[in-house]
Structure formats: C-alpha cells, structure tokens
Amino acid sequence: GESVGLHLPTLSVQEGDNSIINCAYSNSASDYFIWYKQESGKGPQFIIDIRSNMDKRQGQRVTVLLNKTVKHLSLQIAATQPGDSAVYFCAEKRNKLVFGAGTILRVKS
Amino acid sequence: DVKVTQSSRYLVKRTGEKVFLECVQDMDHENMFWYRQDPGLGLRLIYFSYDVKMKEKGDIPEGYSVSREKKERFSLILESASTNQTSMYLCASSIGYREAGYTFGSGTRLTVV
C-alpha cells in the first residue's frame, strides 16, 4: 500500500543554522512530491515541489532533494529563522496526494 | 491572491446533530477535497470531487457525506455528529492536472460534545 513517513517527529535547530527534514515514501510509482508548511492555527501552505524526473530543486532558502533509489525525500532550509517554526509535511502524488504525519521544526533563538 | 475559505474557524456541536462544513474557492479549480487532521495521524482524506455533482470516497468516508452543487463550493456533512468526529477539518482545492499541488483553507476545528 501507499505510505509516506517521516524519520523525525521533532527537530530543534538554532537560529541561523541549516535544517534538514527527511521523509521516506514507499510508492515507487509516485511521480510528484510536495513539501508543505503548517503554522499554528493555519492550513498547510505549499513550499516547494519536485517531479520524479528531477533529483534536486531549489527555491528561496529551501532545497528539496529526491533520491528515488532509496525512496527518500528531504527538505533543506538554509539559515533557519524563527518564522520557520512550524509543522512540515511531505506528500507524494500518483492520482491524489498522500501526506506524511509531519515533523515539528522548532527554532531556538 | 488565490483563496480557499472555510466558513467557520471553530464549531461546537452536540452528539447527534447534523453538521455542515462549508468550503469555497475562488480559483476556478476543478478538484476539491476534505481532510481531517488529528495529532499523530496526519491528514486523512474523507471525500473528494473532480467536478460539479461528482464525489469520490477517500480513505475515511464513514459518517460523512459531501455535496458539490457548484464548482466553487464543496460541503462536508456529518449526518449525526459523534465525539470521535472531533477534529480539525481542512478543505483543499487543485487545478485538474497531474502535477498540481493543493491549496488549503485555514481549517475548521470541530468539537462534538
């Protein structure tokens, strides 16, 4: 069956450091992946996406890496800021999105 | 700015009541979705719709129904609310092609007492 999971439920980082949030997926037929950020009291917001024919995609301060060999997805946040504190979800898509349980990112000042 | 609007942020209902959760999107999206979000369980798909008057069951449809009479509006209905339906409910929409993400509303936190 399909599943998307996260290795670490909570990640604490010092302000200014880089953050890496990891995600494992099990459906090798998934062809599209997304990272969402959810702040307290809000709905998930799109951060960055990547197609399965890509290994890496960069946005503003964020980079997503896709390793199809081991079915692993990661989100890297450069120079983490207090405003980055949130729950981060990965999601994979074949016909519809399947979400992981989420990782809490806490930024220490 | 594109928007998905859920009519209520917080709702408290009694067991056995019929509950309507409303969602409206202004992006002319074909697809709309209802999720519930519970601690440790992530987002679970209840129902979705690919077009007006069309609906498909998601992973946990029991105890719920939906209505999509207009493209921009997707309603979630709890026919007889129960305490185990206390949750955060999230509506989302997407354009109708494969590599498209979802835009979410802010959520409705429903408490059934």
Side-chain angles (χ1 to χ4, degrees):
Chain A
E2 298 178 353
S3 69
V4 178
L6 292 170
H7 296 306
L8 299 174
T10 304
L11 177 65
S12 293
V13 298
Q14 195 67 38
E15 181 180 358
D17 288 351
N18 297 335
S19 303
I20 301 175
I21 302 172
N22 296 303
C23 177
Y25 65 95
S26 61
N27 192 334
S28 57
S30 294
D31 52 14
Y32 181 60
F33 303 87
I34 306 175
W35 280 100
Y36 284 91
K37 173 186 180 183
Q38 186 175 22
E39 297 174 277
S40 180
K42 298 182 179 179
Q45 294 178 287
F46 173 92
I47 302 173
I48 192 168
D49 59 0
I50 188 168
R51 295 182 175 86
S52 60
N53 61 352
M54 303 169 69
D55 297 321
K56 179 180 179 179
R57 190 163 187 220
Q58 288 184 295
Q60 188 176 16
R61 281 201 308 117
V62 294
T63 301
V64 56
L65 299 176
L66 177 63
N67 186 331
K68 294 180 286 296
T69 302
V70 295
K71 298 177 192 169
H72 185 266
L73 191 69
S74 68
L75 176 71
Q76 300 178 2
I77 304 173
T80 312
Q81 302 169 358
D84 294 327
S85 293
V87 178
Y88 289 82
F89 297 93
C90 65
E92 62 176 316
K93 190 176 188 187
R94 202 151 54 99
N95 296 313
K96 56 184 184 293
L97 281 179
V98 175
F99 290 87
T103 292
I104 299 171
L105 176 64
R106 291 200 177 105
V107 182
K108 298 176 286 187
S109 298
Chain B
D1 198 15
V2 296
K3 277 189 177 174
V4 176
T5 303
Q6 294 183 230
S7 55
S8 303
R9 290 299 303 273
Y10 301 94
L11 277 178
V12 180
K13 297 291 181 180
R14 294 192 180 278
T15 301
E17 277 193 78
K18 189 170 186 176
V19 182
F20 293 86
L21 302 183
E22 306 288 348
C23 176
V24 177
Q25 51 96 3
D26 64 1
M27 297 165 282
D28 201 36
H29 282 175
E30 291 86 352
N31 306 330
M32 297 189 75
F33 308 84
W34 274 106
Y35 288 85
R36 64 178 283 176
Q37 183 177 30
D38 301 288
L41 296 177
L43 279 75
R44 294 182 291 167
L45 182 63
I46 305 171
Y47 265 97
F48 59 103
S49 170
Y50 287 142
D51 201 351
V52 176
K53 296 191 184 294
M54 292 184 66
K55 59 185 179 183
E56 298 276 349
K57 291 181 179 179
D59 300 318
I60 52 164
E62 296 77 20
Y64 303 94
S65 62
V66 290
S67 174
R68 194 163 182 205
E69 296 296 318
K70 294 183 178 181
K71 190 176 185 180
E72 67 270 20
R73 186 180 295 271
F74 193 36
S75 303
L76 179 69
I77 304 158
L78 286 67
E79 295 291 342
S80 178
S82 62
T83 54
N84 63 13
Q85 292 178 309
T86 292
S87 187
M88 169 69 86
Y89 290 87
L90 289 163
C91 176
S93 71
S94 76
I95 200 165
Y97 65 88
R98 194 172 185 84
E99 293 170 348
Y102 298 0
T103 301
F104 284 86
S106 295
T108 296
R109 184 165 293 282
L110 173 68
T111 302
V112 182
V113 297

